Amino acid sequence: MKISLNLKSRFGILCVVFCALMLGFSHRADALALSIGDSHELGFVQNGWPSGDADRLVYLNHIIGMALNSKSKGDGQVYIRSSNSFGPLSQALWDGHVSGTGTTINLGAGGVYTYLFAKYDGPNYGSEVWYVGNLTGIITIPGTAGGVDLTGWTLFGVGGQGVPDGGTTVLLLGLAFGALGMARRHLKS
């Protein structure tokens, strides 16, 4: 039995293949590694002690309010803001924060967390702050900084967040189902 494909059938199959490839490449399999001073760095808190979650929120919001590439003192800390611009930044909120101690962090589908605050060795070094609002999936952070070990991290979000990654996923899913429907209709005839 020989199957003859006309132009419409070939287009439908091409659409299905294209959508499958787009869905297959939509997520990276490898983890993104953040580092001290990289393009995601928001700033640094010298010492950063005490370092409970409420203290981390105060330190983070201080850095958010600073001008690019500046240094200031306040709350018993020395703050250094990186020269990386992320556009207008919203204040971090206590609600929805997540804390941990490992170097591998799952940000999920994106849109939930905006800032990552990592504390290194109690009062002996300081705290690194990264902007992660444009990242998704698994990331890793350094296990040591300034010769001292990571003691813990906290992810913070901002207010007014919607459903994470809703638009892109719905669009790709709709395209895939549309292409499958077209392919099915043309392959049946």
Side-chain angles (χ1 to χ4, degrees):
M1 178 170 135
K2 184 177 179 184
I3 298 175
S4 174
L5 298 175
N6 61 22
L7 185 59
K8 288 183 180 179
S9 297
R10 289 180 188 163
F11 178 73
I13 291 172
L14 181 64
C15 286
V16 169
V17 169
F18 177 75
C19 288
L21 286 172
M22 294 304 291
L23 286 172
F25 290 115
S26 64
H27 293 288
R28 292 178 51 158
D30 56 334
L32 173 68
L34 297 179
S35 60
I36 307 298
D38 68 6
S39 63
H40 291 279
E41 182 186 49
L42 185 62
F44 179 77
V45 182
Q46 213 166 10
N47 296 332
W49 193 259
S51 187
D53 286 341
D55 300 307
R56 292 176 184 197
L57 182 64
V58 170
Y59 304 156
L60 171 58
N61 283 327
H62 186 100
I63 289 176
I64 290 169
M66 292 175 63
L68 295 178
N69 203 28
S70 63
K71 188 174 183 178
S72 74
K73 292 182 179 182
D75 312 308
Q77 309 300 319
V78 175
Y79 298 93
I80 302 168
R81 174 65 164 89
S82 75
S83 60
N84 299 326
S85 176
F86 304 102
L89 297 174
S90 298
Q91 293 288 298
L93 297 178
W94 178 259
D95 295 336
H97 77 283
V98 175
S99 296
T101 57
T103 59
T104 302
I105 302 166
N106 188 349
L107 298 175
V112 177
Y113 304 110
T114 308
Y115 308 108
L116 171 59
F117 186 101
K119 178 69 180 120
Y120 290 89
D121 194 51
N124 297 321
Y125 179 67
S127 302
E128 185 71 21
V129 180
W130 288 281
Y131 176 80
V132 295
N134 57 354
L135 301 177
T136 61
I138 308 268
I139 62 169
T140 61
I141 59 174
T144 60
V148 296
D149 292 332
L150 173 72
T151 54
W153 52 262
T154 304
L155 286 168
F156 291 98
V158 297
Q161 296 178 26
V163 176
D165 191 34
T168 305
T169 302
V170 171
L171 175 68
L172 287 172
L173 189 60
L175 285 172
F177 280 129
L180 285 172
M182 286 177 36
R184 180 175 175 240
R185 187 180 82 181
H186 291 291
L187 289 175
K188 266 184 137 175
S189 45

